């Protein structure tokens, strides 16, 4: 009789635990649904705000005509390179960031860095030009360009 009582108590206890586990699973499902809903709302809000910002910046760039001609590009590059050589890299970055996307694209092409895609990003072109300036400075550190 004692074994039957022990088994009955164990079954009741395990049945109670199974019920508690079921309740906890239901609570977790509800929490998961609410988190998913909140996450979706946040993503929609961020995407709509981000798309408005990107539309404004691209629209501004498209409307800007190219200020540089193909002849002026190398002069501007040499000017930027000399400023970087004199330690004014911040000014170089500011001037490049003030340029239109068309000017940056033209500069990339004239410096022999064709864009990797049809519409490269400003950041990518900016980094390519900065990289080319740094490369030029490293290569010409001990060479006098005037004698060449």
């Amino acid at each position: 009789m004692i074994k039957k009582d022990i088994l009955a108590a164990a079954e009741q206890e395990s049945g109670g635990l199974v019920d508690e586990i079921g309740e906890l699973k239901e609570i977790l499902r509800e929490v998961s649904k609410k988190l998913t809903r909140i996450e979706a709302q946040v993503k929609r809000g961020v995407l709509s705000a981000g798309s408005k910002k990107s539309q404004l910046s691209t629209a501004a760039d498209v409307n800007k005509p190219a200020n540089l001609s193909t002849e002026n590009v190398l002069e501007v590059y040499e000017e930027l390179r000399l400023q970087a050589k004199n330690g004014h890299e911040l000014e170089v970055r500011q001037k490049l960031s003030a340029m239109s996307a068309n000017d940056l694209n033209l500069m990339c092409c004239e410096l022999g860095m064709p864009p990797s895609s049809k519409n490269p990003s400003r950041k990518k072109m900016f980094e390519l030009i900065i990289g080319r300036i740094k490369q030029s400075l490293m290569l010409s550190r001990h060479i006098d360009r005037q004698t060449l």
Side-chain angles (χ1 to χ4, degrees):
M1 186 116 167
I2 296 175
K3 286 185 179 180
K4 288 181 181 178
D5 290 337
I6 293 174
L7 287 175
E11 283 181 30
Q12 285 178 347
E13 190 175 320
S14 65
L17 290 175
V18 169
D19 290 341
E20 285 184 45
I21 289 173
E23 290 173 9
L24 288 174
K25 282 184 176 181
E26 185 60 35
I27 291 170
L28 288 174
R29 280 189 204 107
E30 289 177 24
V31 169
S32 177
K33 287 178 187 176
K34 287 181 182 181
L35 282 175
T36 303
R37 183 181 49 81
I38 292 170
E39 199 173 43
Q41 286 178 341
V42 168
K43 284 182 182 178
R44 277 185 292 216
V46 169
L47 290 178
S48 66
S51 65
K52 288 178 185 176
K53 181 181 174 187
S54 66
Q55 287 174 355
L56 292 175
S57 65
T58 55
D61 283 347
V62 170
N63 293 336
K64 282 185 181 178
N67 295 331
L68 297 176
S69 65
T70 53
E71 297 84 25
N72 294 346
V73 169
L74 294 178
E75 293 173 11
V76 170
Y77 170 74
E78 187 63 25
E79 192 178 297
L80 293 172
R81 192 190 68 78
L82 289 174
Q83 282 184 339
K85 183 178 180 180
N86 293 331
H88 303 291
E89 188 175 335
L90 184 60
E91 292 175 17
V92 171
R93 288 182 177 275
Q94 289 173 346
K95 285 185 180 181
L96 282 174
S97 62
M99 288 182 164
S100 70
N102 293 335
D103 289 341
L104 291 174
N105 193 14
L106 182 63
M107 187 174 282
C108 283
C109 289
E110 288 295 317
L111 292 174
M113 300 175 289
S116 58
S117 65
K118 187 175 181 180
N119 293 321
S121 68
R122 286 180 52 86
K123 182 180 178 185
K124 178 79 173 165
M125 292 186 291
F126 180 84
E127 292 302 322
L128 284 172
I129 295 169
I130 291 291
R132 184 57 59 103
I133 290 171
K134 287 181 178 182
Q135 181 183 29
S136 175
L137 291 178
M138 287 189 321
L139 291 173
S140 65
R141 187 169 289 166
H142 302 291
I143 296 174
D144 184 16
R145 282 183 169 246
Q146 300 302 325
T147 60
L148 298 175

